[in-house]
Amino acid sequence: MELARKLLETGKPLEALERLKKILPATRDVWRVHELIGAAFHDLCNAEGAAQAYFNAACTDKFLRSQRAHFSNYLFALHYLPQLDAPTLINELKIYNSLYRDAETLPPIKKSAEKISVAFISPNFCESSAARFYEPLLTDYDREKFSVTAWSLNAEEDFFTKKIRRNVDGYFDISETSFFEAAEKIYNVGADILIDLGGHTEGGSTLQIAAYRPARVQICGIGYFDSTGADFIDYFIGDDFLTAHDETFTEKIFTLKNAFAFKPNDKMIRVKKLPHKNFTFGSLNNFMKLSDDYLSAVKKILDVLPDAKIIFRDTTPLASRQKVLIERLKNFGIKNFEVRRGADNFYNDYSEIDLILDTFPYSGGFMTALALYMGVPVLNFCGELASRRTGADILHIADLDELIVYDVHAYIKKAVAFAKNRARLASLVEKISVNKLTATKTFVEDFYTRLEAI
């Protein structure tokens, strides 16, 4: 098993996978092998394999805490799969919730302080895509009415962490405490409301703390994109567009005017568009989101536009994923493409791209907002589940409903039409409402007014 782990660490997931398959029948810690198999499939951009491996890990693990973590990883990976539908997700969420059937909870707390105490909990408070949506909630709140604390499950810090530390009423590193001890600490500060920014990311660690009910009201969202399935989470942050048609939520919807407001960081400076003769599409999402249906649509678009090309950029720097995608594109018969690894300088890509082809069924959130901020339109195929409406919701907030379609035929047709009519596309670029997209002041006021009402 250690050899397989080293192979993964050195960027050799295929070799690691072969090794793990050989030792699987003979090992005592079967769940550990499945966990590593999931990591190998991740590095090979195989979403279905990763989901199955995490599910197998959950089924074979003897310990409840890690069993919950495996199942969170499984639920997260499920969203990459085109075949995921509402009945399937509802059933899997019920199974996850059953893992807490015997969970103990802390005694109910009574309101004592004059201010409303709001505790934000996250796997970390480092710079990330989620941070671009929640930062103003921790820096621009009404300090006369609210006391805000931040609780991090990771000791790692960066410039963003320092900014949060300076602005909140209390910052706590709970990386070295048990889940119960962390819940007790949140409970002891008298938290009225717990905002879980993690959900099922990072193995659902934040949820395992929320399960002890350290706050009077518990809410999830922004950092996670779908229902948690946990009956100890009372609300999910949404709006009338994002969550209107989704029957999977076990939570009540914490309905805002807009579920998102994007706050760019200092590195996100609009780059000047490079003049280029041939129309260029872009796809800058996690390569795990590149479903077969999506790549099939890309092929049909490029077949009609032989002079056009597409740039793919991953969110990780792994060479294994780059290699796998190149092979997939060749097998699909897609030509005129460029595949780039994840890198810090990806902002420069926007100067080369005319239109982003958003992935489906699992669309981009941060990447959609960033593209619009950088002045590049995004074509989105909107689905029914909240995880398949995030990108469309961001376009809706920016008054760009013309870039939202509801079937693959319309997706292909509109992509081709924009490529053939650059003047129309240019008019959409001018229409991008950055002010609405970045209306963080209105977002913060709406958010905390709703908290006060609850």
Side-chain angles (χ1 to χ4, degrees), residues 97-110:
N97 191 52
S98 72
L99 298 177
Y100 292 90
R101 57 188 174 272
D102 299 322
E104 59 179 304
T105 58
L106 293 162
I109 62 172
K110 296 179 180 180

Side-chain angles (χ1 to χ4, degrees), residues 13 37-51 80-81 285-292 295 314-316 318-326 328 339:
I37 288 174
F41 276 127
H42 169 273
D43 290 358
L44 291 168
C45 280
N46 186 326
E48 195 161 351
Y80 293 115
L81 308 185
N285 278 323
N286 183 341
F287 284 180
M288 292 276 277
K289 294 184 178 183
L290 303 178
S291 67
D292 285 353
L295 292 180
D314 199 5
T315 51
T316 82
L318 293 173
S320 60
R321 289 162 59 110
Q322 182 186 39
K323 182 179 178 181
V324 165
L325 180 57
I326 290 171
R328 282 184 73 197
V339 178

Side-chain angles (χ1 to χ4, degrees), residues 122-142:
S122 177
N124 63 70
F125 285 95
C126 295
E127 176 61 26
S128 65
S129 55
R132 296 300 98 229
F133 295 105
Y134 69 68
E135 177 186 332
L137 297 176
L138 286 94
T139 58
D140 303 334
Y141 57 93
D142 184 342

Side-chain angles (χ1 to χ4, degrees), residues 276-337:
H276 45 282
K277 180 181 176 182
N278 297 332
F279 195 90
T280 304
F281 295 103
S283 180
L284 309 184
N285 278 323
N286 183 341
F287 284 180
M288 292 276 277
K289 294 184 178 183
L290 303 178
S291 67
D292 285 353
D293 290 342
Y294 172 77
L295 292 180
S296 178
V298 169
K299 169 136 184 0
K300 290 175 182 177
I301 292 166
L302 293 179
D303 281 350
V304 180
L305 305 164
D307 293 329
K309 76 169 187 175
I310 183 167
I311 296 171
F312 293 95
R313 169 80 77 175
D314 199 5
T315 51
T316 82
L318 293 173
S320 60
R321 289 162 59 110
Q322 182 186 39
K323 182 179 178 181
V324 165
L325 180 57
I326 290 171
E327 287 302 312
R328 282 184 73 197
L329 295 174
K330 289 178 179 177
N331 290 337
F332 267 88
I334 295 173
K335 301 174 182 177
N336 297 337
F337 63 81

Side-chain angles (χ1 to χ4, degrees), residues 118-141 143 148-154 156-165 167-168 171-172 194-199 201-202 206 219-225 237 254 256 258-265 268 365-366 369 394 437-441 443-445 447-448 451:
V118 184
F120 286 86
I121 186 168
S122 177
N124 63 70
F125 285 95
C126 295
E127 176 61 26
S128 65
S129 55
R132 296 300 98 229
F133 295 105
Y134 69 68
E135 177 186 332
L137 297 176
L138 286 94
T139 58
D140 303 334
Y141 57 93
R143 296 167 194 276
V148 170
T149 53
W151 303 77
S152 175
L153 276 71
N154 196 311
E156 183 183 353
E157 296 193 6
D158 63 6
F159 69 93
F160 181 74
T161 318
K162 293 179 173 64
K163 184 173 186 178
I164 296 302
R165 273 186 178 276
N167 281 276
V168 294
Y171 183 93
F172 302 92
L194 179 69
I195 311 290
D196 181 356
L197 297 170
T201 65
E202 303 294 332
T206 53
I219 302 171
C220 185
I222 302 178
Y224 189 63
F225 47 78
I237 300 165
F254 181 84
L256 300 175
N258 294 318
F260 302 102
F262 181 71
K263 183 166 184 177
N265 63 31
M268 295 169 186
F366 164 73
I394 290 168
L437 186 67
T438 59
T440 56
K441 186 175 185 296
F443 175 69
V444 170
E445 289 173 354
F447 186 89
Y448 279 98
L451 286 188

Side-chain angles (χ1 to χ4, degrees), residues 238-245 253 255-259 389 393:
D239 60 35
D240 286 337
F241 187 98
L242 179 69
T243 48
H245 305 287
I253 301 301
T255 307
L256 300 175
K257 293 172 186 174
N258 294 318
R389 298 178 70 84
D393 192 36

